[in-house]
Amino acid sequence: MAKRTDVRPVVTLRSTAGTGFSYVTTKNRRTQPDRLVLRKFDPIAREHVDFRETR
């Protein structure tokens, strides 16, 4: 059975520190309809910053 990619799309999380670093993850579109914001480690800035979902 194939995975339902319309419910859990792959999203890119881009650093707000302006370094250009990004993470790739999936999210549940039914429970998280808004853009995702996570606080993760940016190895270029060497600190924890907000990562926002890009389109």
Side-chain angles (χ1 to χ4, degrees):
M1 182 176 215
K3 289 186 178 181
R4 296 211 27 175
T5 57
D6 56 337
V7 176
R8 293 196 65 85
V10 175
V11 296
T12 302
L13 301 174
R14 180 83 49 188
S15 174
T16 58
T19 59
F21 190 78
S22 62
Y23 284 101
V24 177
T25 187
T26 61
K27 75 169 188 176
N28 190 335
R29 194 173 283 165
R30 290 182 186 157
T31 60
Q32 300 286 333
D34 300 328
R35 288 195 180 186
L36 191 62
V37 177
L38 295 175
R39 188 160 177 85
K40 296 181 72 68
F41 185 75
D42 187 341
I44 299 171
R46 298 180 66 183
E47 61 183 354
H48 284 83
V49 297
D50 285 341
F51 279 75
R52 297 187 185 275
E53 177 183 345
T54 59
R55 301 275 169 144

